[in-house]
């Protein structure tokens, strides 16, 4: 039987709800379960996120915010740059939750890094068309996974004037 | 998706004393400034009210909260690091912020719930960001502060704008557009003519648009007006032979076409209400989307066009057609130059996509038994002149639309469509006018405050012009253009204006008066007193979550995948709160 992502997410959710109901678990007292439920909320990529627990390799990536301030963070290899930003409290919107239905996670790369990135799908290009302050080295953060080669790179969050 | 209810289940468990700044991913970048210092500035929190709970309202609440928190944190740093006493005129006079979000319907989210098409669920994911906004703006240790929701409160009817101005320090109008941009052609009042706003609200289950069902049902299944049992065809999976014409070239026009064409089989797994599927049947055989200018000038975006070109491949039994000659006619010298502009890159890709679609249209010959049953055709350079009836005195309704062929004339970026004297009649059983929404003034609004030509409140970067504490954001500020994300920058601009207003009006600020957070005549407390005195059954955020959960109850759903079966009336929503739904 072919099962789609949403159905899988629904199944995980129902299991999780049942677990919570049975054990009357308070998220506060069970931080590891909190992390789990946060991951289950990430409808976009349940399987990928579950894998995150086992992968510990990290590289240093610096997010440069619109005012020019730099925020270096330890990013897990394999995670999408949008998820890294949210995990590390960097202010980057991701209105559609990473499903290529908006351009709010738009990031600007240095040319040499941009050239090494995997090619854009039509769908990513379509959304980039609507991005504010689009550049020649722009990509959507929800489509770019951290690799080992990203160690030391800087990514810029476009300046919307505020 | 059950995400909001799961969150509510989890959040309802003992967060009263816990700093909710660490709840969930989204909340993390909402609370910019929780520090350890117990110093509180001023004697009370800023009181703000936002009228409207769509994207503009929610983004405003979110960014106002983070701006205030950042400001308080910055002031603390200045206070602790400076050796001399900081000048009180530059420090933020409030200890935090309380924001009340008012919404006319019991349910929030505005166009995300009633505008976004049911087959675009990923666009609705932004609701998760919004759901994280109600709650604490500031930890209790640092002055508290909340964003509260008041649903089922009609500003103008239940509480006046002037009352809000008095109860709160700052009033932000985020109520969007409730009306339509006009098209002045004869025949608009014929039976079977709707605006896109009416049609979209209906297929999304808006409580005030149920009446549209009969108009659509008649157009699709009972055009002769003799009730010849056609209505059963809708249930039996029949495709309506009606011809639908959508006038307009934006994404809303494409949404209307796609929903009409997809029908029950294409939409059954979405959150479209079941009663809508009962009317649509298996969709309409032919939908024509007609634009006045060329494809380069069209307001649609490539994602939505690409979606139409893929419908056939994805098994929806709908083909997409566009005419090569109309693409060529629209490619004037000026249009070519428009493509070369910086803003032209997206248009170049649209041009390439449509040319490819036109080539595919040419290839499909007659008598191709593999061809889809249903078609969406994009027509260009056609200006609607008249909508004409079937001249049936017993059952007058729309019969066709007369268009005039246009050609583009003028400078790049300013081309106008000019009539050529050639006319074409396109048959129509249903006509949907999709030429834009329009804003209207709020009851009690001063006449000078509203620009009725543009349909917006007169403002300067979000501050409503005049001596008042009013601000605007969203479509009622900048007119109905853009996407959900456009509200992010818009909200930030209005928030900056609010901060500027507060910084430049220290004498007027109520912080200097005697009232406190507990003052019963102001803010949330004052509002609640007013609403209760007027018997208004307002809906709290937790109560909305009950409604939300009830819509997702398995017993209501037509299949396992349908995300929710919306309540179609306010009474049904409120009944939920009495546990009788």
């Amino acid at each position: 039987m072919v099962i789609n992502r949403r159905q899988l997410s629904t199944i995980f959710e129902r299991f999780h709800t049942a677990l919570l109901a049975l054990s009357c678990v308070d998220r506060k007292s069970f931080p590891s379960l909190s992390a789990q439920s946060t991951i289950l909320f990430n409808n976009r990529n349940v399987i990928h996120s579950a894998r995150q627990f086992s992968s510990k390799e990290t590289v240093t990536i610096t997010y440069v915010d619109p005012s020019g301030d730099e925020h270096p963070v330890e990013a897990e290899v394999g995670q999408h740059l949008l998820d890294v930003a949210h995990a590390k409290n960097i202010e980057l919107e991701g209105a559609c939750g990473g499903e290529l239905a908006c351009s709010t996670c738009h990031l600007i790369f240095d040319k040499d890094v941009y050239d090494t990135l995997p090619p854009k799908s039509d769908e990513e290009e379509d959304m980039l068309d609507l991005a504010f302050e689009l550049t020649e080295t722009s990509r959507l953060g929800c489509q770019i996974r951290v690799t080992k080669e990203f160690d030391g790179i800087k990514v810029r969050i476009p300046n919307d004037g505020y | 998706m059950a995400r909001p209810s799961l969150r509510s289940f989890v959040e309802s468990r003992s967060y009263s004393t816990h700093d909710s700044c660490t709840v969930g991913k989204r909340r993390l970048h909402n609370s910019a400034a929780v520090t350890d210092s117990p110093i509180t500035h001023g004697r009370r929190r800023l009181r703000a009210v936002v009228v409207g709970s769509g994207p503009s309202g929610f983004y405003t609440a979110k960014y106002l909260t983070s701006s205030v928190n950042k400001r308080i944190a910055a002031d603390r740093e200045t206070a602790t690091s400076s050796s001399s006493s900081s000048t009180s005129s530059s420090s933020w006079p409030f200890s935090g912020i309380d924001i009340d979000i008012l919404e006319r319907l019991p349910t929030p989210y505005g166009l995300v719930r009633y505008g976004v098409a049911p087959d675009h669920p990923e666009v609705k994911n932004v609701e998760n960001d919004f759901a994280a906004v109600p709650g604490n703006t500031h930890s209790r240790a640092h002055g508290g502060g909340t964003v509260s929701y008041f649903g089922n409160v009609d500003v103008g009817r239940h509480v006046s704008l002037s009352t809000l101005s008095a109860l709160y320090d700052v009033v932000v109008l985020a109520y969007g557009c409730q009306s339509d941009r006009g098209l002045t052609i004869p025949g608009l009042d014929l039976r079977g003519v709707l605006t896109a706003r009416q049609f979209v609200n209906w297929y999304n289950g808006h409580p005030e648009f149920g009446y549209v069902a009969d108009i659509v049902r008649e157009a699709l299944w009972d055009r002769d007006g003799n009730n010849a049992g056609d209505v059963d065809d809708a249930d039996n999976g029949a495709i309506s032979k009606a011809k639908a014409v959508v006038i307009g070239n934006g994404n809303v026009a494409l949404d209307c076409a796609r929903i009409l064409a997809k029908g029950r089989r294409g939409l059954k797994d979405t959150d479209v209400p079941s009663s809508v599927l009962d009317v649509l049947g298996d969709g309409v055989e032919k939908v024509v989307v007609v634009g006045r200018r060329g494809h380069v000038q069209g307001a649609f975006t490539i994602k939505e066009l690409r979606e139409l070109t893929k419908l056939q491949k994805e098994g929806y039994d709908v083909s997409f057609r566009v005419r090569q000659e109309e693409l060529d006619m629209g490619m004037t010298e000026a249009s070519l130059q428009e493509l070369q502009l910086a803003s032209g890159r997206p248009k170049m890709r649209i041009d390439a996509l449509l040319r490819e679609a036109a080539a595919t249209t040419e290839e499909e010959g007659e008598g191709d038994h593999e061809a889809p049953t249903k078609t969406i055709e994009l027509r260009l350079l056609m200006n609607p002149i008249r909508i004409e009836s079937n001249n049936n005195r017993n059952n007058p309704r729309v019969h066709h639309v007369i268009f005039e062929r246009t050609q583009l004339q003028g400078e790049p970026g300013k081309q106008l469509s000019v009539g050529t004297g050639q006319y074409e009649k396109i048959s129509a059983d249903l006509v949907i006018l999709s030429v834009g929404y329009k804003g209207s003034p709020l009851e009690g609004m001063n006449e000078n405050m509203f620009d009725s030509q543009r349909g917006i409140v007169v403002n300067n970067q979000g501050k409503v012009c005049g001596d008042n504490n009013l601000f605007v954001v969203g479509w009622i500020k900048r007119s109905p253009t853009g996407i959900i994300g456009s509200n992010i920058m818009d909200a930030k601009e209005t928030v900056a204006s609010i901060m500027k207003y507060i910084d430049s009006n220290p004498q007027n600020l109520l912080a200097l008066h005697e009232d406190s957070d507990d003052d019963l005549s102001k803010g949330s407390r004052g509002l609640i007193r007013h609403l209760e005195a007027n018997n208004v059954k307002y809906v709290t955020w937790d109560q909305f979550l009950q409604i939300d959960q009830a819509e997702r109850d398995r017993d209501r759903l037509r299949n396992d995948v349908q995300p929710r079966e919306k309540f179609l009336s306010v009474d049904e929503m409120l009944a939920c709160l009495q546990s009788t739904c």
Side-chain angles (χ1 to χ4, degrees):
Chain A
M1 155 185 125
V2 174
I3 195 167
N4 70 32
R5 209 160 41 208
R6 192 170 308 150
Q7 286 168 318
L8 188 61
S9 177
T10 310
I11 290 167
F12 270 125
E13 238 174 62
R14 293 207 174 130
F15 165 73
H16 183 66
T17 311
L19 188 67
L20 280 182
L22 284 173
S23 58
C24 296
V25 166
D26 178 348
R27 264 178 80 181
K28 200 170 64 169
S29 342
F30 289 83
S32 61
L33 201 54
S34 295
Q36 190 103 43
S37 60
T38 305
I39 283 161
L40 289 174
F41 282 169
N42 184 351
N43 178 57
R44 176 173 64 78
N45 214 335
V46 174
I47 305 288
H48 167 68
S49 301
R51 239 193 349 248
Q52 283 172 33
F53 268 134
S54 46
S55 160
K56 294 283 187 221
E57 191 179 357
T58 64
V59 294
T60 306
I61 294 186
T62 301
Y63 288 83
V64 182
D65 74 24
S67 40
D69 294 334
E70 300 196 351
H71 308 266
V73 301
E74 287 306 300
E76 265 186 50
V77 170
Q79 246 194 332
H80 288 102
L81 285 178
L82 175 61
D83 294 331
V84 171
H86 286 163
K88 301 293 179 181
N89 221 353
I90 307 282
E91 276 187 29
L92 183 65
E93 289 281 356
C96 76
E99 297 201 30
L100 281 178
C102 75
S103 55
T104 58
C105 67
H106 170 204
L107 292 170
I108 300 169
F109 292 78
D110 290 329
K111 178 99 173 62
D112 52 346
V113 178
Y114 176 81
D115 287 341
T116 69
L117 301 177
K120 290 173 251 192
S121 63
D122 276 341
E123 286 72 25
E124 185 183 348
E125 291 257 30
D126 288 350
M127 297 324 299
L128 275 171
D129 274 356
L130 305 178
F132 177 77
E133 290 278 289
L134 188 67
T135 69
E136 295 290 326
T137 57
S138 287
R139 293 296 298 265
L140 295 182
C142 64
Q143 300 301 301
I144 307 297
R145 275 191 219 268
V146 176
T147 67
K148 285 187 290 230
E149 289 73 30
F150 278 18
D151 198 25
I153 70 163
K154 291 189 189 177
V155 290
R156 204 157 49 86
I157 298 170
N159 183 0
D160 55 15
Y162 295 98
Chain B
M1 275 164 279
R3 243 182 300 185
S5 107
L6 186 54
R7 188 190 291 275
S8 74
F9 172 84
V10 162
E11 283 184 8
S12 65
R13 311 177 73 65
S14 66
Y15 286 127
S16 51
T17 53
H18 182 71
D19 185 344
S20 67
C21 291
T22 53
V23 170
K25 281 198 292 195
R26 285 292 170 276
R27 206 68 75 80
L28 285 173
H29 75 91
N30 204 353
S31 62
V34 180
T35 68
D36 287 272
S37 163
I39 301 168
T40 41
H41 289 255
R43 269 171 276 162
R44 67 167 178 85
R45 296 184 293 272
L46 176 68
R47 301 177 188 120
V49 65
V50 176
V51 178
S53 68
S56 64
F58 266 108
Y59 277 129
T60 299
K62 175 173 173 177
Y63 292 121
L64 184 55
T65 300
S66 71
S67 277
V68 167
N69 287 341
K70 279 183 192 165
R71 184 56 191 275
I72 292 176
D75 280 358
R76 276 202 192 111
E77 263 189 51
T78 319
T80 51
S81 64
S82 67
S83 46
S84 56
S85 57
S86 50
T87 51
S88 56
S89 58
S90 60
S91 71
W92 182 260
F94 296 103
S95 59
I97 182 163
D98 287 322
I99 307 178
D100 288 342
I101 301 177
L102 308 191
E103 165 58 51
R104 191 163 57 91
L105 294 172
T107 54
Y109 304 141
L111 286 177
V112 179
R113 179 172 163 101
Y114 290 119
V116 175
D119 55 351
H120 287 168
E122 65 285 349
V123 178
K124 303 192 195 204
N125 283 344
V126 73
E127 287 178 10
N128 299 315
D129 287 352
F130 299 158
V133 172
N136 296 348
T137 57
H138 217 48
S139 71
R140 264 165 215 260
H142 301 108
T146 1
V147 175
S148 306
Y149 173 79
F150 290 84
N152 206 31
V153 174
D154 189 335
V155 175
R157 197 159 61 93
H158 296 144
V159 58
S160 70
L161 192 53
S162 50
T163 303
L164 290 181
S165 270
L167 288 174
Y168 295 90
D169 299 308
V170 156
V171 179
V172 185
L173 302 176
Y175 65 87
C177 290
Q178 312 297 323
S179 175
D180 305 291
R181 186 160 155 244
L183 199 64
T184 38
I185 59 174
L188 291 177
D189 48 4
L190 282 172
R191 187 94 174 143
V193 180
L194 290 168
T195 66
R197 191 177 59 90
Q198 290 172 302
F199 186 63
V200 169
N201 272 310
W202 167 67
Y203 69 58
N204 275 325
H206 192 293
E208 291 160 11
F209 291 85
Y211 69 89
V212 172
D214 283 341
I215 298 173
V216 178
R217 184 183 297 114
E218 242 178 60
L220 264 49
W221 309 106
D222 190 24
R223 294 181 298 291
D224 301 327
N226 55 14
N227 256 321
D230 304 59
V231 178
D232 290 337
D233 289 342
D235 294 328
N236 296 340
I239 293 174
S240 166
K241 296 240 181 276
K243 308 251 181 307
V245 171
V246 181
I247 296 176
N249 259 4
N251 287 335
V252 176
L254 300 187
D255 278 352
C256 292
R258 201 178 63 248
I259 297 301
L260 278 169
K262 273 189 172 178
R264 181 189 294 277
R265 261 185 297 164
L267 296 171
K268 62 177 168 55
D269 291 344
T270 71
D271 68 3
V272 70
S274 295
S275 60
V276 169
L277 294 184
D278 290 343
V279 173
L280 292 179
D282 201 34
V284 158
E285 203 175 53
K286 182 82 186 275
V287 185
V288 184
V289 178
V290 190
R292 191 172 37 129
R293 296 183 297 170
H295 63 291
V296 174
Q297 296 75 34
F300 36 55
T301 52
I302 193 168
K303 175 173 188 273
E304 286 71 15
L305 282 171
R306 191 185 296 284
E307 187 178 8
L308 293 184
T309 64
K310 284 182 160 173
L311 287 177
Q312 183 173 346
K313 208 181 322 181
E314 291 177 353
Y316 288 104
D317 195 25
V318 179
S319 68
F320 174 68
R321 311 175 82 79
V322 61
R323 301 183 186 192
Q324 184 69 52
E325 62 267 23
E326 291 186 340
L327 296 177
D328 292 336
M329 279 191 277
M331 200 50 85
T332 55
E333 191 50 51
S335 290
L336 266 170
Q337 287 183 41
E338 282 170 22
L339 289 185
Q340 309 303 331
L341 300 171
S343 54
R345 178 183 175 271
K347 305 283 191 180
M348 278 207 278
R349 299 182 68 240
I350 287 178
D351 177 57
L353 179 76
L354 289 177
R355 286 191 185 281
E356 203 187 300
T360 319
T361 307
E362 300 284 308
E363 277 167 22
E364 279 164 15
E366 301 293 328
D368 182 356
H369 58 275
E370 295 288 348
T373 326
K374 299 176 274 187
T375 310
I376 295 176
E377 183 172 24
L378 177 63
R379 298 293 308 275
L380 301 157
L381 297 158
M382 302 258 281
N383 188 28
I385 301 295
R386 269 194 315 282
I387 304 177
E388 292 186 336
S389 87
N390 57 355
N391 289 322
N392 179 335
R393 238 175 312 150
N394 297 325
N395 180 37
R397 50 175 303 104
V398 64
H399 188 262
H400 56 264
V401 184
I402 308 281
F403 289 91
E404 183 180 12
R405 170 65 82 201
T406 65
Q407 61 185 177
L408 294 172
Q409 282 177 16
E411 296 301 303
K414 294 183 244 174
Q415 295 186 81
L416 297 176
S417 56
V418 174
T420 61
Q422 279 179 292
Y423 297 89
E424 185 176 333
K425 185 198 291 194
I426 299 188
S427 299
D429 302 296
L430 181 69
V431 177
I432 298 179
L433 306 168
S434 185
V435 295
Y437 286 45
K438 191 166 181 190
S440 1
L442 208 53
E443 210 181 293
M445 204 177 252
N446 200 319
E447 255 178 32
N448 311 338
M449 263 184 219
F450 198 78
D451 176 346
S452 32
Q453 209 247 340
R454 291 184 63 193
I456 59 172
V457 175
V458 184
N459 72 94
N460 177 23
Q461 295 182 311
K463 170 72 184 66
V464 173
C465 300
D467 184 18
N468 54 56
N469 60 351
L470 303 177
F471 296 82
V472 277
V473 69
W475 278 7
I476 201 64
K477 166 189 176 189
R478 64 175 201 274
S479 80
T481 56
I483 53 178
I484 292 172
S486 312
N487 292 291
I488 292 172
M489 239 179 24
D490 190 344
K492 287 185 179 179
E493 182 186 65
T494 295
V495 166
S497 294
I498 293 172
M499 300 301 276
K500 201 168 100 171
Y501 165 80
I502 298 196
D503 277 330
S504 59
N505 285 291
Q507 287 75 35
N508 297 345
L509 293 174
L510 302 170
L512 302 177
H513 299 176
E514 285 307 312
D515 69 329
S516 69
D517 287 324
D518 298 324
D519 193 326
L520 286 178
S521 67
K522 294 283 184 341
S524 305
R525 292 180 151 87
L527 178 70
I528 290 171
R529 240 180 28 171
H530 176 94
L531 294 175
E532 285 177 352
N534 289 283
N535 262 319
V536 177
K537 302 261 178 298
Y538 61 89
V539 171
T540 66
W541 188 253
D542 282 339
Q543 287 177 317
F544 153 63
L545 292 177
Q546 277 180 260
I547 296 172
D548 177 59
Q549 183 149 35
E551 284 188 342
R552 285 180 288 110
D553 191 304
R554 298 203 63 183
D555 293 336
R556 275 178 75 76
L557 306 180
R558 55 183 175 255
N559 60 44
D560 280 339
V561 187
Q562 181 192 11
R564 68 178 61 245
E565 180 66 53
K566 291 179 185 172
F567 290 115
L568 302 180
S569 71
V570 169
D571 285 342
E572 279 180 284
M573 293 176 189
L574 298 180
C576 258
L577 306 179
Q578 321 297 332
S579 326
T580 55
C581 56

